[in-house]
């Protein structure tokens, strides 16, 4: 039983195990795993290659990759963060079969430090389980994926192992093309697959496609295809009793001798010798992982030694359905919207003036509108051309039907009725590409209860209240304000959710 089923708990699409590993037998799973060494060192085997991971190292185990762990001569603490790809693939195309590689030999890589900070933040939120911690964990995981896609999906083969390649960082066209090519090769490796077939799909010449693959990965097309076939054969070799002839045929090799040749090239031994050597090291009902879970105190101490500033408080509720707002600084900043924001059709109506207070506050800044929609608007104070070092993002939790009603109502009583009766929950994910550096993030949040009290106070301005009632009324109508900092290498993701009509204004400024 090579395949390990990951159990996700507490309605979270991530699972975290932090432990002192003695031995974790060979296995794979359908989801991605990010391994972070908090203390000591551990020996990790991934496919044909064996690594010794040391404190501070981060390694990405892509979906369906065979791997195992065993201890060295020192105590270790390993954080294993597993991501439910069925959930996160809703937000990111081609996340499955994507290939991420970190460079553990470059300790000065700022992107690795960003990954460490995000991993530490996720771990601390899981430990503390404060109110709304699920929101923070999911938002941080979005930031983790954004960082991976920005900085770690470029790789090259050197000395028999894949290494992160920064030369092509930021080349989204190349990254997208490589993802499509490798995705197609993984889906079709078991049959005869030619360079010409893929060139036709990509509308490229065979020569140019061959050059792209060689330049990007360090491997020729045939070598890359053979690598994929050999890698997939390992599951059949250790997970079944099939003969190597059947395995060779099933993984696309035209003859057993070619399979043996390529297997020995990557793994250094004959397939049957490899099976004999490792058949007793597979995770199964009889052979289980041996590890001791680390205590919360141990984990906190380890994180505090490595990463600073991992605490942040959020009080948002869990998502139901996503509204994704993509802001690509490289493109959208150059295309300032000259007309009124789409959301102004609701906010400019006098009957909605209380609801529109955050909108008016933003518009009074007289910033340039980058993009807008039915329930959001994004602006900046910066002038194009020039550096963009601030963003203002305003989101409102109401859907298209509620928006139609807000365009028709004639009284504040109608507004109060809509606010009381609208009970839907919306998740907003704002993905900003092109922001690099350290940013201060200020959140101004107006919940449904705040809006209801504001409208009720407007409808009963002459109601006599004692000082305590007046004080409570004023407090309950005020928005919640929170602030924090985030360091981004190129991409920044922000997430917020509401239940019932509400608004959040998010101000992002470079420090």
């Amino acid at each position: 039983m090579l395949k390990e089923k990951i159990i996700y708990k507490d309605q979270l699409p991530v699972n975290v195990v932090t432990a002192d590993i003695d031995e974790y037998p060979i296995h794979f799973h359908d989801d991605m795993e990010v391994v972070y060494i908090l203390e000591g060192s551990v020996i990790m085997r991934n496919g044909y290659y064996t690594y010794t991971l040391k404190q501070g190292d981060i390694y990405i185990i892509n979906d369906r990759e065979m791997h195992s762990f065993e201890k060295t001569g020192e105590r270790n603490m390993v954080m294993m963060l597993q991501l439910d790809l069925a959930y996160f693939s809703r937000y990111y195309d081609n996340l499955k079969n994507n290939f991420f590689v970190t460079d553990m030999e470059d300790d000065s890589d700022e992107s690795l430090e960003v990954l460490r900070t995000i991993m530490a933040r996720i771990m601390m939120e899981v430990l503390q389980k404060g109110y709304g911690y699920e929101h923070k964990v999911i938002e941080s995981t979005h930031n983790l994926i954004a960082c991976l896609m920005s900085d770690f999906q470029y790789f090259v083969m050197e000395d028999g192992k894949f290494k992160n390649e920064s030369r092509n960082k930021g080349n989204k066209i190349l990254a997208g093309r490589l993802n499509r090519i490798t995705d197609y090769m993984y889906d079709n490796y078991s049959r005869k697959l030619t360079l010409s077939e893929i060139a036709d799909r990509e509308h490229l010449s065979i020569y140019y496609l061959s050059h792209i693959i060689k330049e990007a990965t360090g491997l020729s097309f045939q070598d890359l295809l053979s690598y994929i076939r050999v890698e997939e054969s390992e599951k059949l070799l250790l997970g079944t009793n099939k003969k190597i002839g059947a395995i060779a045929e099933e993984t696309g090799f035209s003859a057993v001798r070619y399979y043996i040749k390529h297997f020995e090239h990557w793994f250094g031994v004959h397939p049957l010798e490899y099976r004999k050597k490792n058949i007793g090291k597979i995770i199964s009902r009889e052979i289980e992982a041996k590890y001791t879970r680390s205590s919360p105190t141990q984990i906190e101490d380890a994180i505090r030694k490595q990463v600073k500033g991992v605490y942040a408080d959020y009080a948002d509720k869990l998502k139901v359905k996503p509204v994704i707002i993509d802001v690509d600084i490289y493109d959208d900043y150059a295309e300032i919207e000259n007309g009124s924001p789409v959301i102004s059709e609701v906010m400019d109506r006098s009957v909605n003036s209380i609801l529109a207070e955050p909108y008016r506050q933003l518009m009074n800044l007289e910033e340039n509108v980058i993009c807008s929609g039915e329930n959001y608007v994004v602006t900046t104070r910066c002038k194009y051309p020039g550096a963009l070092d601030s963003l203002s993002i305003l989101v409102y939790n109401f859907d298209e039907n509620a928006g139609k009603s807000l365009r028709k109502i004639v009284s504040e009583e109608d507004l109060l009725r809509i606010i009381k009766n609208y009970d839907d929950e919306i998740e907003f994910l704002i993905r900003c590409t092109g922001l690099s550096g350290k940013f201060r993030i200020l959140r101004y949040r107006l919940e449904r209860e705040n809006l209801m009290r504001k409208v009720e106070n407007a409808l009963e301005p002459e109601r006599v209240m004692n000082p305590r009632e007046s004080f409570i009324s004023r407090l309950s109508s005020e928005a919640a304000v929170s602030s924090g900092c985030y360091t981004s290498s190129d991409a920044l993701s922000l997430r917020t959710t509401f239940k019932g009509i509400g608004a959040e204004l998010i101000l992002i400024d470079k420090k």
Side-chain angles (χ1 to χ4, degrees):
M1 187 180 68
L2 286 169
K3 186 175 179 179
E4 182 181 58
K5 182 174 177 58
I6 299 172
I7 306 299
Y8 294 97
K9 303 176 181 178
D10 300 330
Q11 302 183 61
L12 278 173
V14 300
N15 183 56
V16 182
V17 176
T18 303
D20 183 337
I21 294 177
D22 183 26
E23 183 180 9
Y24 211 123
I26 300 170
H27 66 287
F28 72 92
H29 32 69
D30 290 333
D31 295 329
M32 185 193 307
E33 184 172 59
V34 185
V35 178
Y36 180 20
I37 311 302
L38 292 172
E39 283 186 356
S41 60
V42 66
I43 298 171
M44 189 201 72
R45 182 176 160 277
N46 186 13
Y48 71 95
Y49 203 85
T50 301
Y51 302 84
T52 298
L53 305 181
K54 62 184 185 303
Q55 181 175 310
D57 282 347
I58 291 181
Y59 190 92
I60 314 299
I61 299 173
N62 301 283
D63 56 300
R64 296 188 62 80
E65 286 187 345
M66 299 270 284
H67 59 284
S68 64
F69 302 96
E70 62 181 275
K71 65 181 180 180
T72 62
E74 60 179 333
R75 180 183 176 277
N76 63 71
M77 186 186 297
V78 181
M79 174 182 174
M80 294 168 281
L81 173 68
Q82 297 153 339
L83 282 63
D84 183 355
L85 291 185
Y87 174 90
F88 288 106
S89 291
R90 296 189 301 162
Y91 305 91
Y92 306 94
D93 295 335
N94 302 319
L95 188 58
K96 278 182 172 290
N97 286 337
N98 216 321
F99 197 74
F100 300 111
V101 178
T102 55
D103 189 353
M104 293 169 291
E105 296 176 4
D106 185 5
D107 291 333
S108 63
D109 189 343
E110 293 181 359
S111 300
L112 269 178
E113 192 58 37
V114 171
L115 280 185
R116 292 185 186 106
T117 300
I118 296 173
M119 292 285 286
R121 187 179 295 121
I122 292 172
M123 188 71 257
M124 294 307 301
E125 289 295 333
V126 170
L127 286 176
Q128 294 176 355
K129 285 187 170 58
Y131 174 68
Y133 86 98
E134 302 96 336
H135 160 79
K136 182 60 183 175
V137 169
I138 295 174
E139 180 180 81
S140 291
T141 306
H142 278 294
N143 276 308
L144 178 79
I145 294 172
C147 185
L148 291 176
M149 298 188 111
S150 172
D151 297 336
F152 297 101
Q153 60 176 328
Y154 309 95
F155 58 90
V156 68
M157 173 70 75
E158 289 183 8
D159 300 326
K161 63 179 179 179
F162 287 106
K163 297 180 65 176
N164 184 253
E165 174 55 75
S166 60
R167 176 180 52 186
N168 292 315
K169 178 181 174 180
N171 190 336
K172 296 180 181 179
I173 295 176
L174 176 61
R177 178 168 285 155
L178 283 174
N179 285 341
R180 289 194 304 272
I181 291 170
T182 55
D183 192 44
Y184 189 74
M185 292 175 73
Y186 270 100
D187 286 341
N188 295 278
Y189 68 87
S190 61
R191 63 174 179 83
K192 184 178 180 180
L193 187 61
T194 65
L195 188 63
S196 175
E197 178 182 340
I198 298 177
D200 288 342
R201 286 176 55 87
E202 290 294 314
H203 306 291
L204 298 172
S205 70
I206 294 177
Y207 172 79
Y208 185 57
L209 177 60
S210 177
H211 173 74
I212 287 175
I213 294 174
K214 182 69 174 179
E215 181 74 12
T217 68
L219 300 174
S220 68
F221 167 73
Q222 284 299 333
D223 285 342
L224 181 59
L225 180 58
S226 296
Y227 168 79
I228 291 172
R229 285 170 170 168
V230 166
E231 181 188 44
E232 292 298 313
S233 79
E234 187 186 10
K235 300 182 182 70
L236 298 173
L237 198 62
L238 298 184
T240 72
N241 294 321
K242 293 181 178 181
K243 295 183 178 180
I244 62 170
I247 293 174
E249 182 179 357
E250 194 169 328
T251 52
F253 287 100
S254 59
V256 177
R257 67 179 183 275
Y258 294 132
Y259 170 52
I260 295 173
K261 172 187 173 183
H262 288 290
F263 192 93
E264 288 180 339
H265 171 75
W266 290 106
F267 284 86
V269 296
H270 190 282
L272 291 181
E273 184 180 346
Y274 182 82
R275 171 183 274 176
K276 181 179 179 181
K277 180 180 178 181
N278 292 286
I279 199 68
K281 301 178 181 178
I282 303 168
I283 198 165
S284 64
R285 291 185 179 89
E286 294 78 27
I287 304 174
E288 298 180 345
K290 298 177 183 177
Y291 59 83
T292 303
R293 285 185 178 266
S294 304
S295 70
T297 301
Q298 290 173 325
I299 297 171
E300 286 191 22
D301 288 344
I303 288 176
R304 283 175 174 149
K305 289 176 184 177
Q306 288 200 50
V307 184
K308 307 298 181 183
V310 296
Y311 295 97
D313 294 324
Y314 286 89
D316 300 323
K317 299 175 183 177
L318 198 60
K319 62 92 201 153
V320 169
K321 44 189 176 182
V323 173
I324 300 175
I325 305 171
D326 278 318
V327 182
D328 190 328
I329 303 307
Y330 302 113
D331 297 328
D332 297 332
Y333 182 34
E335 298 178 5
I336 302 299
E337 294 186 5
N338 294 319
S340 298
V342 178
I343 197 174
S344 66
E345 295 177 17
V346 170
M347 298 302 153
D348 286 346
R349 302 190 71 222
S350 59
V351 70
N352 294 325
S353 60
I354 294 175
L355 178 67
E357 283 182 8
Y359 174 78
R360 286 202 310 276
Q361 291 174 7
L362 177 59
M363 291 299 103
N364 287 341
L365 296 177
E366 298 182 347
E367 295 185 344
N368 297 312
V369 177
I370 293 180
C371 59
S372 63
E374 172 77 18
N375 51 8
Y376 70 88
V377 59
V378 181
T379 68
T380 180
R381 63 178 175 81
C382 303
K383 304 294 183 181
Y384 183 85
L388 191 148
D389 55 15
S390 79
L391 279 177
S392 304
I393 303 162
L394 176 62
V395 296
Y396 275 87
N397 182 50
F398 58 78
D399 59 19
E400 184 178 355
N401 291 330
K404 290 179 181 177
S405 298
L406 291 169
R407 288 179 175 88
K408 296 177 182 178
I409 58 175
V410 295
S411 68
E412 290 180 337
E413 285 84 1
D414 293 332
L415 175 62
L416 182 59
R417 174 179 50 80
I418 291 175
I419 294 173
K420 284 183 175 179
N421 294 334
Y422 185 83
D423 200 45
D424 284 356
E425 184 180 32
I426 297 179
E427 172 196 12
F428 292 87
L429 177 64
I430 305 104
R431 305 188 297 204
C432 306
T433 304
L435 291 179
S436 297
K438 189 171 184 178
F439 294 87
R440 181 190 64 195
I441 300 175
L442 184 72
R443 293 180 181 242
Y444 172 96
R445 185 178 175 90
L446 203 61
E447 300 273 9
R448 174 170 61 178
E449 289 71 21
N450 306 128
L451 288 170
M452 288 173 56
R453 184 54 62 95
K454 280 179 174 289
V455 178
E456 288 169 349
N457 289 345
L459 290 172
E460 300 178 329
E462 298 179 2
R463 184 166 69 91
V464 177
M465 293 184 288
N466 62 44
R468 182 177 179 82
E469 289 175 329
S470 178
F471 180 62
I472 293 174
S473 178
R474 186 172 69 255
L475 286 180
S476 60
S477 65
E478 291 178 352
V481 179
S482 62
S483 63
C485 293
Y486 183 78
T487 300
S488 170
S489 62
D490 183 65
L492 171 64
S493 293
L494 296 165
R495 179 180 179 272
T496 190
T497 63
F498 297 84
K499 188 173 178 62
I501 288 182
E504 183 163 357
L505 177 59
I506 305 171
L507 304 178
I508 305 173
D509 292 279
K510 193 166 187 176
K511 297 192 69 172

